[in-house]
Amino acid sequence: MNRYYITTPIYYVNDAPHLGHAYTTLACDVLARFMRLDGRAVKFLTGTDEHGQKVEKAAGAAGMDPQSFTDRVSENFRTLAKVLNISNDDFIRTTEPRHIRSSQAIWKAIGRGMSPKGRPNIYLGKYAGWYAVRDEAFYGEDELTSGPDGKKRAPSGAEVEWVEEPSYFFRLSDWGEHLLAFYDANPEFIGPATRRNEVVSFVRQGLTDLSISRTTFGWGVKVPDAEGHIMYVWLDALTNYITAVGYPDETSREFQTFWPADLHMVGKDIVRFHAVYWPAFLMAASIAPPRRVFAHGWWTVEGQKMSKSLGNVVEPVRLIETYGLDQVRYFLLREVPFGQDGNFSHRQMILRINSDLANDFGNLAQRVLSFIAKNAGGEVPAPGAFTADDEALLAGAGRLLDAVRGRLEEQAFHLALDAIWDVVGTANRYVDVQAPWTLRKTDQARMKTVLYVLIETIRQLAIVTQPVMPGTMGRLLDQLAVPANHRGFAQIGTRLVPGTRLPPPTGLFPRHVEATGA
Ligand code: ME8
């Protein structure tokens, strides 16, 4: 399969971007960059979710009309993508005409079809039940708890309100068996396994029909041919993934090339929408479901839930100013096994910068490159015959790409980075054992072989690490004089040419020293 379509969730524009948004987007960026370097045609989509009651209320609170408000807040998410060095190919806004057309088209396609039990997929009724504006989700009475304040709350902790209004329903209850058969036939559809089990047991319990239109407010996509109804924001939002590949034109090149998507990356709080409702909507509209949905965990901050009221929201831009972009990119993907919850702490961040980046990877590159600059004429040294130790290090580096590819296919970023750092560790030990500074005095030919083995290992490390730290690894590859067209994975076997002049080395990862008084 030579194409790869990956998406982030589209972000609500009720609020400023925070660490959680940066995390999902960053994980997708690493995969998108990896797949491009691996020679695949990649489409990487992100964007903003701009309709619904939550955004309408936020606009009202800001004293703005929803369109001007969403124009403004959406721009903050575009800026975030730039600041994080995100390589998205498209940025979708659900208020764009292309998306309104696509949402109305999927509504009609669902409405034309019959459920597996031979009943119309969409019917008009009346919704009477609980709704959480914060989650933009309907909840059954049995899912709610009562807080100490006596207010009913959704499992997410969001307040719910009683809603009664005329509404169109999607006959989700008829799709349960189809969904279970689909999960069975596609064991890779939901990752990690814990989320898959949750989803399967949720569907097994039996599904209720889903309210898919609202009539008590107006900020949404108009339901075709149904005066007064706007589409339920999640039906509109999920549809963004096909809008961006040209839906409703299913014969377009873009749609044919990229749909079904390879991966929808989401946070664990929105699995149900992506793994239950979305494939059901698509099946009902006779469109293929995506190949995989992977749900990552949630970040707490210094042990606490991240929230505006606690005043501990981590702003990605501030983080990058303090620690550096690639340092933040590395930390977020290395610190927590992807899929599990994690805790953000400044102490841990500094520890990883100073140990993994400065002491391990940075020091390896720095000491080898400055040694070459000082003692080997500032050019790629010419090697003699390799010893078993040399071969072992080179073979370890040579296996890295496959190891990383395997880990990333499972979205195990932390394990991919572990594999990289294993080679970094082996290379650092090799430097200590081979002691080129001693060889300089005793055996210059052997010294050059050792330096060649090292610089070649560093080249491979840099190429494989590009997706995670594109800026820094690009600078390292510059220092190794690797031409731009030799940085893809197809060229990883092209060894450095002895005698190539190397630019003067500069440090990659400075140690982080906390400002006094901080
Ligand atoms: O859910 N840690 O948008 P959103 C990790 N518009 N991830 C977090 C997080 C945290 N503390 N807080 C939020 C929506 N996230 C919908 C999506 S898709 C068709 C529509 C993650 O802006 C969260 O899990 O509320 C989700 O994946 C993402 O941020 C967007 O959240």
Side-chain angles (χ1 to χ4, degrees):
M1 191 67 47
N2 213 26
R3 40 66 97 185
Y4 189 78
Y5 180 25
I6 182 169
T7 66
T8 73
I10 46 171
Y11 302 110
Y12 286 126
V13 291
N14 64 312
D15 222 341
H18 59 61
L19 184 70
H21 304 121
Y23 187 51
T24 324
T25 313
L26 173 60
C28 291
D29 185 56
V30 170
L31 291 173
R33 286 177 183 272
F34 186 93
M35 298 304 167
R36 281 190 207 105
L37 287 165
D38 219 10
R40 294 170 73 165
V42 171
K43 183 173 177 77
F44 168 18
L45 174 70
T46 185
T48 43
D49 186 353
E50 308 190 1
H51 290 128
Q53 228 172 338
K54 170 150 111 170
V55 171
E56 192 186 66
K57 279 191 171 171
M64 292 174 82
D65 68 276
Q67 188 62 57
S68 323
F69 178 75
T70 56
D71 287 348
R72 191 178 76 185
V73 184
S74 177
E75 203 49 40
N76 297 339
F77 284 88
R78 260 184 223 268
T79 306
L80 177 70
K82 284 197 193 93
V83 171
L84 284 169
N85 194 9
I86 299 301
S87 63
N88 56 301
D89 301 288
D90 194 355
F91 186 100
I92 191 166
R93 298 184 54 190
T94 54
T95 47
E96 289 173 58
R98 62 169 170 165
H99 180 68
I100 291 165
R101 175 168 164 258
S102 162
S103 303
Q104 291 175 333
I106 197 173
W107 179 289
K108 285 188 183 160
I110 296 172
R112 272 195 301 273
M114 290 289 172
S115 81
K117 296 188 177 154
R119 301 190 282 183
N121 276 322
I122 295 180
Y123 63 92
L124 184 60
K126 184 178 160 203
Y127 182 78
W130 297 102
Y131 192 77
V133 175
R134 198 180 84 190
D135 301 347
E136 295 285 19
F138 302 95
Y139 290 103
E141 183 79 47
D142 55 341
E143 292 181 280
L144 306 179
T145 49
S146 272
D149 52 3
K151 283 186 183 150
K152 284 187 188 288
R153 286 181 194 274
S156 62
E159 274 181 37
V160 293
E161 58 190 47
W162 185 257
V163 171
E164 272 190 41
E165 57 187 331
S167 170
Y168 283 97
F169 284 80
F170 171 62
R171 210 177 294 274
L172 184 63
S173 58
D174 280 5
W175 285 92
E177 279 159 38
H178 262 60
L179 285 169
L180 291 170
F182 172 70
Y183 304 145
D184 228 31
N186 298 279
E188 302 301 312
F189 178 62
I190 309 166
T194 45
R195 302 291 161 224
R196 180 186 157 80
N197 297 339
E198 278 170 22
V199 166
V200 170
S201 65
F202 173 74
V203 176
R204 275 209 190 114
Q205 278 166 22
L207 298 169
T208 51
D209 291 349
L210 184 70
S211 161
I212 51 166
S213 78
R214 304 286 315 264
T215 42
T216 46
F217 68 98
W219 183 237
V221 178
K222 287 192 170 61
V223 172
D225 311 318
E227 196 57 38
H229 288 259
I230 57 159
M231 284 169 66
Y232 171 40
V233 64
W234 269 100
L235 172 51
D236 138 24
L238 288 160
T239 303
N240 92 88
Y241 302 130
I242 54 175
T243 303
V245 289
Y247 188 79
D249 186 358
E250 293 176 67
T251 58
S252 69
R253 215 181 110 90
E254 190 81 349
F255 194 91
Q256 293 282 322
T257 307
F258 289 111
W259 194 258
D262 292 271
L263 180 63
H264 292 321
M265 184 73 85
V266 299
K268 65 177 185 180
D269 53 322
I270 54 176
V271 175
R272 191 182 292 182
F273 300 95
H274 284 83
V276 181
Y277 302 165
W278 182 225
F281 292 151
L282 288 167
M283 287 173 184
S286 303
I287 303 169
R291 296 207 164 90
R292 184 166 165 86
V293 172
F294 188 94
H296 64 66
W298 269 46
W299 286 90
T300 50
V301 176
E302 312 284 355
Q304 284 186 306
K305 191 173 165 3
M306 183 165 63
S307 86
K308 243 185 177 173
S309 50
L310 290 172
N312 64 350
V313 174
V314 177
E315 291 167 33
V317 174
R318 286 278 303 278
L319 212 57
I320 290 165
E321 279 166 11
T322 310
Y323 298 110
L325 171 60
D326 281 351
Q327 285 81 347
V328 170
R329 289 177 61 112
Y330 171 77
F331 175 81
L332 292 180
L333 294 177
R334 177 65 192 80
E335 180 66 4
V336 178
F338 202 70
Q340 295 179 21
D341 291 340
N343 179 44
F344 178 88
S345 94
H346 289 278
R347 211 183 114 86
Q348 266 310 104
M349 175 99 203
I350 295 168
L351 207 67
R352 289 225 175 254
I353 290 176
N354 288 345
S355 69
D356 303 9
L357 296 181
N359 285 358
D360 297 345
F361 202 140
N363 188 37
L364 172 68
Q366 178 80 15
R367 59 179 173 160
V368 170
L369 291 174
S370 38
F371 193 89
I372 291 175
K374 282 198 202 105
N375 305 301
E379 59 182 43
V380 175
F386 291 142
T387 65
D389 283 352
D390 302 346
E391 298 281 11
L393 181 58
L394 289 171
R399 283 191 298 270
L400 197 52
L401 176 59
D402 280 344
V404 169
R405 188 187 286 114
R407 298 311 191 188
L408 291 186
E409 271 162 16
E410 302 159 2
Q411 291 77 47
F413 298 93
H414 58 297
L415 296 181
L417 288 166
D418 265 357
I420 296 174
W421 257 255
D422 264 359
V423 175
V424 169
T426 312
N428 269 323
R429 283 191 295 280
Y430 172 94
V431 183
D432 295 339
V433 171
Q434 302 295 331
W437 46 88
T438 310
L439 292 171
R440 185 170 66 91
K441 294 176 215 137
T442 57
D443 187 347
Q444 291 242 343
R446 175 67 195 149
M447 174 193 84
K448 286 191 177 163
T449 307
V450 165
L451 292 173
Y452 184 84
V453 169
L454 281 165
I455 194 173
E456 187 37 46
T457 302
I458 294 169
R459 179 187 67 88
Q460 299 200 35
L461 283 166
I463 286 181
V464 176
T465 312
Q466 288 175 98
V468 180
M469 297 188 277
T472 313
M473 292 303 126
R475 283 202 299 285
L476 179 54
L477 289 165
D478 291 344
Q479 293 188 38
L480 299 173
V482 175
N485 60 358
H486 280 69
R487 296 180 183 190
F489 297 153
Q491 293 82 33
I492 200 162
T494 318
R495 293 253 156 118
L496 288 167
V497 180
T500 308
R501 295 282 324 152
L502 298 173
T506 52
L508 293 182
F509 299 112
R511 288 183 66 78
H512 182 86
V513 183
E514 270 187 282
T516 25

